[in-house]
Amino acid sequence: MSRLEMVSPTRAKIVMEGLYKDLERRIEASQPGLCPVDLARAFLELCYAQTCGKCVPCRIGLKQLMLLIQDVLDGKATMDTLKLMEETALAVMEAADCAIGYEAANMVYKGLTGYRDEYIEHVKHGRCTCVASQPVPCVTLCPAHVDIPGYIALVREGRYADAIRLIRKDNPFPTSCAFICEHPCESMCRRNMVDDAINIRGLKRVAADFAGEVDPPAPAPSTGKKIAVIGGGPGGLSAAYYLQLMGHQTTVYEMLPELGGMLRYGIPNYRLPKERLEDDIRSILKTGVQVKHGLKIGKDITIQELQKEYDAILIAIGASADKKLRLDHEDADGVLSAVEFLRSAGLGELPDLTGKQVVVVGGGNVSMDAVRTAKRMGAEKVSILYRRRRHDMTALPEEIEGAVAEGIELLTLKAPSSIDVDENGRVRGIWATPQMVSAIKDGRAGIQPTGEPDVYIPCDVLIRAIGQDIETSHFEEAGVPVQRGKIITRSTGDFENMPGVFAGGDCASGPASVIKAIAAAKVVAANIDEYLGFRHEISCDVEIPDANLEDRTPCGRVNLTEREACQRVHDFEGVENCMTEKEARQEADRCLRCDHFGYGIFKGGRDTIW
């Protein structure tokens, strides 16, 4: 006889594991605007189904919480009900035996404190304040609200020029964003419920590569108004583009030799080839936008002088200054900021790093750009020094993977402690304190020293990439409100006591993504137009193809391929390869057309004007 036997999973268990995966994908694809109280009820029911029933707080307490939330949704609750829910949740959190009980109760408690207004609205008025005003998830999550299902449908039909025209209604940088956008639109793509998110950025790249040169729409008749835009980055140029289309003569003031801001001087050529950036800039300038190069506000011209000459002013400077490590010898020879380093590369001033050891401090996208650029400049060894885990890095996962594939060393859980210099004042290494993860706060694990001795990392070049700042001194002197290194505006982009002056982009929000700067530019352009006494509308007359009524069978996602790492590290040519037209048609055909099916066709499925 055998005492033990090997157990194979039953069919029921295999199916259940698949259903858990389906549930995970469905939660991931939950669109913004859903009723949080109803979601809390649904999650609580799931948690209750997981309980073993051994302890009373979990078996009875969760059931009571479910009934109380249902009373709220049914309009039977009072304010005393909310108090009882809070007390019950705290009791379960304190008394439940395991995480099934106390984490479920904690979820309810966080909801009662985090979105209490929603509960009160249900209790007092029997309704929810959350309204799905934009039910298409990808459009909702795109900061600029680009008509994503529309241009995907156009790509599917091979109408690439029309796709570019449609994108430009909300984003005048379709080509640049096709290369470097962080694609938040994909995070809640409803296709996740079937298999995987649509490769939205990849399809935008197809449109940009196959469309050829597409002229911008003709501007409206001249209004006679003049607007100055301070800063020729993506935010400033986007605002200038829309204001010019509205008929206002716009002039961009840029302190550097060429336009593009961080797109040109911060993002390396291997990620965004500069000739492709020029495609977008050329289209913007075709509208009649004027440019004045080599003028720095506060040095060559003041904001007061611009106020006398123009009807409105937009401050759209980017985050072009760097944050310091606050360590001794930070001004030593060989210690650089990532902004300075990448700007030099953008200007074509490529230092020879052959045979040198380079250390970059930081874990964001700028850090990845710096290490990969240093590698292409011939550095023998390039390392990233980061005080947290790789999992905690703010850089895009694909950027981290690309850096590792190119031979970059990741030194994680090590915090810079001191800079070592030689007798000539040149950096020769950096000391770092070993760290360990600690308590989680706001969803992110903290760190603390392990108590082990500091480790020494030799280097010939040390680059800091721990964040960027805004140069605000002149604006502060001119009376523009500044707080903690940011220009403080109202939500409309203007100021309470400075009529005709607006601000938007990184200078008002802090360092952010390109698409967020473009979104801010749309808001400010519309409000400047309104301030000047007009109400122009931006539209696009492209006809969107009808939705495909065929069934959407599960199909793998087409990802963009890359050049081999052993080849690409030797040059600054583009890393990513575009899809073929056949691949693009297959990927576009995976789109579920949420703008047509479901609620999208009734409410907010497509905004044709703004």
Side-chain angles (χ1 to χ4, degrees):
M1 293 181 64
S2 301
R3 296 192 309 170
L4 302 174
E5 64 179 85
M6 291 178 287
V7 179
S8 299
T10 63
R11 175 169 175 76
K13 183 175 176 59
I14 293 171
V15 171
M16 278 301 301
E17 288 176 353
L19 290 175
Y20 278 130
K21 290 291 184 184
D22 292 342
L23 179 62
E24 182 182 333
R25 289 200 303 267
R26 181 167 287 270
I27 291 172
E28 184 181 351
S30 293
Q31 68 187 44
L34 301 178
C35 174
V37 180
D38 199 22
L39 283 178
R41 177 201 54 78
F43 284 134
L44 192 57
E45 286 184 1
L46 173 62
C47 295
Y48 184 71
Q50 295 173 322
T51 181
C52 69
K54 179 177 75 68
C55 67
V56 171
C58 192
R59 185 178 72 247
I60 305 299
L62 295 188
K63 180 68 173 179
Q64 291 304 310
L65 284 174
M66 285 169 49
L67 295 174
L68 291 170
I69 292 181
Q70 193 62 55
D71 283 347
V72 172
L73 292 168
D74 292 342
K76 300 175 182 178
T78 66
M79 293 303 293
D80 288 337
T81 306
L82 301 186
K83 184 179 179 181
L84 179 59
M85 286 176 62
E86 196 168 327
E87 292 172 350
T88 305
L90 287 170
V92 175
M93 287 165 61
E94 292 173 359
D97 274 1
C98 73
I100 291 175
Y102 58 71
E103 283 300 324
N106 185 40
M107 178 197 67
V108 175
Y109 181 75
K110 284 193 293 187
L112 282 165
T113 55
Y115 47 84
R116 193 175 187 83
D117 289 347
E118 300 295 334
Y119 278 100
I120 294 173
E121 190 71 17
H122 276 284
V123 170
K124 292 187 174 180
H125 305 291
R127 66 189 183 199
C128 184
T129 61
C130 285
V131 178
S133 58
Q134 175 52 274
V136 181
C138 57
V139 180
T140 304
L141 290 169
C142 172
H145 301 309
V146 174
D147 186 350
I148 293 168
Y151 80 72
I152 288 178
L154 291 166
V155 169
R156 181 178 180 272
E157 299 289 319
R159 294 166 55 189
Y160 305 119
D162 281 344
I164 293 297
R165 291 187 185 97
L166 184 62
I167 295 168
R168 280 187 184 151
K169 177 178 74 71
D170 303 286
N171 174 5
F173 283 92
T175 303
S176 299
C177 286
F179 281 85
I180 54 86
C181 186
E182 295 182 356
H183 47 84
C185 51
E186 294 182 17
S187 62
M188 289 187 181
C189 174
R190 205 167 284 162
R191 183 76 196 201
N192 276 310
M193 296 182 185
V194 180
D195 37 52
D196 202 355
I198 305 295
N199 191 343
I200 295 171
R201 183 175 68 84
L203 291 173
K204 187 184 294 171
R205 170 74 185 274
V206 170
D209 277 18
F210 288 96
E213 188 160 350
V214 181
D215 287 334
S222 174
T223 62
K225 301 293 184 180
K226 296 196 305 178
I227 301 166
V229 175
I230 303 171
L237 288 176
S238 296
Y241 172 79
Y242 292 122
L243 288 166
Q244 196 72 36
L245 290 182
M246 294 172 185
H248 311 304
Q249 182 55 58
T250 309
T251 303
V252 175
Y253 286 79
E254 171 55 49
M255 67 177 183
L256 292 170
E258 296 185 75
L259 295 171
M262 294 303 286
L263 288 175
R264 183 180 298 278
Y265 297 108
I267 296 177
N269 197 78
Y270 67 82
R271 280 185 63 203
L272 174 59
K274 297 306 172 276
E275 66 271 14
R276 305 306 306 275
L277 170 62
E278 283 296 336
D279 292 345
D280 289 330
I281 294 175
R282 188 164 52 248
S283 174
I284 291 170
L285 297 183
K286 278 184 178 180
T287 63
V289 172
Q290 297 178 353
V291 182
K292 293 188 177 181
H293 288 287
L295 295 175
K296 185 172 183 179
I297 302 300
K299 180 181 177 182
D300 303 304
I301 192 168
T302 67
I303 195 168
Q304 291 89 345
E305 291 173 328
L306 293 177
Q307 283 179 298
K308 295 176 183 177
E309 186 177 350
Y310 294 92
D311 298 293
I313 298 170
L314 170 60
I315 304 168
I317 58 171
S320 57
D322 65 295
K323 290 186 176 179
K324 309 294 184 183
L325 294 170
R326 298 180 181 177
L327 299 176
D328 291 339
H329 307 302
E330 196 167 352
D331 57 350
D333 191 16
V335 180
L336 309 170
S337 76
V339 173
E340 173 189 351
F341 177 69
L342 294 171
R343 181 179 294 175
S344 297
L347 289 166
E349 301 167 359
L350 303 177
D352 184 11
L353 299 180
T354 304
K356 295 186 177 180
Q357 298 184 68
V358 178
V359 171
V360 177
V361 181
N365 286 322
V366 174
S367 175
M368 299 303 150
D369 289 342
V371 292
R372 298 177 75 179
T373 297
K375 187 73 174 178
R376 285 160 171 76
M377 291 178 176
E380 179 183 348
K381 182 181 180 182
V382 185
S383 307
I384 289 176
L385 184 63
Y386 187 58
R387 65 194 185 106
R388 298 179 185 271
R389 303 167 297 180
R390 172 174 173 169
H391 172 75
D392 301 314
M393 287 182 169
T394 56
L396 293 172
E398 54 264 36
E399 289 299 310
I400 301 172
E401 292 165 10
V404 171
E406 292 173 6
I408 307 302
E409 179 184 43
L410 300 185
L411 302 174
T412 57
L413 288 172
K414 292 178 178 61
S417 58
S418 64
I419 297 171
D420 182 35
V421 297
D422 61 20
E423 60 277 5
N424 298 316
R426 180 172 182 83
V427 65
R428 62 183 177 190
I430 183 169
W431 289 94
T433 305
Q435 306 288 310
M436 61 181 285
V437 292
S438 60
I440 293 176
K441 184 179 180 182
D442 298 329
R444 193 182 194 193
I447 55 168
Q448 63 182 16
T450 63
E452 299 173 284
D454 286 5
V455 295
Y456 185 74
I457 304 146
C459 63
D460 304 298
V461 177
L462 178 65
I463 301 173
R464 55 178 180 268
I466 58 171
Q468 294 158 255
D469 276 329
I470 319 296
E471 294 183 13
T472 58
S473 55
H474 169 68
F475 300 104
E476 195 168 6
E477 292 167 3
V480 175
V482 174
Q483 185 178 340
R484 294 184 179 180
K486 291 193 301 184
I487 294 175
I488 306 301
T489 70
R490 294 191 283 203
S491 59
T492 50
D494 60 349
F495 303 95
E496 189 171 346
N497 299 315
M498 296 188 72
V501 180
F502 296 76
D506 286 0
C507 64
S509 65
S513 62
V514 170
I515 193 64
K516 286 183 179 178
I518 292 168
K522 279 181 61 178
V523 171
V524 177
N527 292 330
I528 289 176
D529 182 61
E530 195 96 2
Y531 165 77
L532 295 174
F534 301 90
R535 198 175 182 84
H536 292 98
E537 293 177 337
I538 301 295
S539 61
C540 179
D541 59 0
V542 171
E543 185 178 344
I544 309 298
D546 292 334
N548 179 13
L549 301 180
E550 297 174 4
D551 290 340
R552 301 295 202 276
T553 56
C555 179
R557 168 184 163 121
V558 177
N559 288 317
L560 299 183
T561 60
E562 295 184 341
R563 295 167 57 209
E564 292 294 331
C566 59
Q567 298 175 352
R568 69 192 192 219
V569 294
H570 299 296
D571 59 50
F572 280 88
E573 298 302 311
V575 165
E576 277 189 333
N577 303 313
C578 186
M579 296 181 195
T580 64
E581 288 191 90
K582 183 178 180 180
E583 289 174 321
R585 281 193 296 272
Q586 175 179 298
E587 187 63 15
D589 201 43
R590 294 176 64 236
C591 179
L592 299 178
R593 289 300 299 272
C594 301
D595 60 319
H596 175 84
F597 296 107
Y599 202 55
I601 198 170
F602 294 116
K603 191 173 185 180
R606 170 160 294 107
D607 290 328
T608 56
I609 59 174
W610 61 268

